[in-house]
Amino acid sequence: MFDQINGLPVHALVIHAAVVFVPLLALAAVVYALVPRWRAKVGWAAILLAIAAPATAWVAKQSGAELHDRLVANGMTGPPLAKIEEHAGFGTMTFYYSLALAVVTLAMVILTLRSSTLRLPRVADILLAVVLVALAAVSSYYVFMTGDTGAQAVWGTS
């Protein structure tokens, strides 16, 4: 399922969705956390991105595993394979951190989009905001490192 489409590796086709959706989720989560007056406008985008980002990161991870297996079966070994495995490690972390960011984003949206009479306590709001900003930063780092190591594995000169 995640191996090829019309002879092209699925991984090459789906990675771009994760590269777009994970940073967009990070941005939406940070805006949602830090700008309460925009929450009503950003909430639905944050919810949709909280679904799309980890889903596309997972598909990229699974299709990357299929591509790795195909390359190994075709005889790839040594330093090129080590670069791909480093890239895969970053991809795995991207999935896990984007999933954590999605869960906390969904929790914050659900807990703060309630009626104005049932507000989240300020301490909880601040704590969730801090966690969201931290997860957004870590997710952004890992999506960058995943992309960089993948590009180096394919296009690098060393």
Side-chain angles (χ1 to χ4, degrees), residues 91-134:
T92 298
M93 296 308 290
T94 297
F95 167 66
Y96 289 133
Y97 279 105
S98 69
L99 181 61
L101 176 60
V103 168
V104 177
T105 299
L106 288 171
M108 185 159 193
V109 170
I110 290 166
L111 292 172
T112 58
L113 276 183
R114 302 180 301 172
S115 72
S116 59
T117 59
L118 296 172
R119 292 214 176 261
L120 191 62
R122 182 145 174 81
V123 172
D125 198 319
I126 291 171
L127 180 63
L128 279 172
V130 168
V131 171
L132 273 179
V133 170

Side-chain angles (χ1 to χ4, degrees), residues 24-50 105 109 113:
L24 280 176
L25 172 59
L27 178 63
V30 168
V31 169
Y32 192 88
L34 300 180
V35 189
R37 68 181 177 275
W38 289 2
R39 286 180 177 171
K41 293 177 175 74
V42 177
W44 288 107
I47 289 169
L48 293 174
L49 288 166
T105 299
V109 170
L113 276 183

Side-chain angles (χ1 to χ4, degrees), residues 132-158:
L132 273 179
V133 170
L135 285 171
V138 174
S139 295
S140 297
Y141 167 78
Y142 276 109
V143 80
F144 172 81
M145 290 305 296
T146 303
D148 185 59
T149 56
Q152 290 298 324
V154 174
W155 304 106
T157 57
S158 55

Side-chain angles (χ1 to χ4, degrees), residues 19-84:
V19 168
V20 170
F21 289 137
V22 173
L24 280 176
L25 172 59
L27 178 63
V30 168
V31 169
Y32 192 88
L34 300 180
V35 189
R37 68 181 177 275
W38 289 2
R39 286 180 177 171
K41 293 177 175 74
V42 177
W44 288 107
I47 289 169
L48 293 174
L49 288 166
I51 296 166
T56 57
W58 182 78
V59 171
K61 178 182 168 318
Q62 293 302 109
S63 63
E66 290 287 334
L67 180 57
H68 173 273
D69 293 347
R70 176 178 288 280
L71 293 172
V72 169
N74 288 335
M76 181 178 273
T77 61
L81 185 59
K83 285 183 178 185
I84 291 171

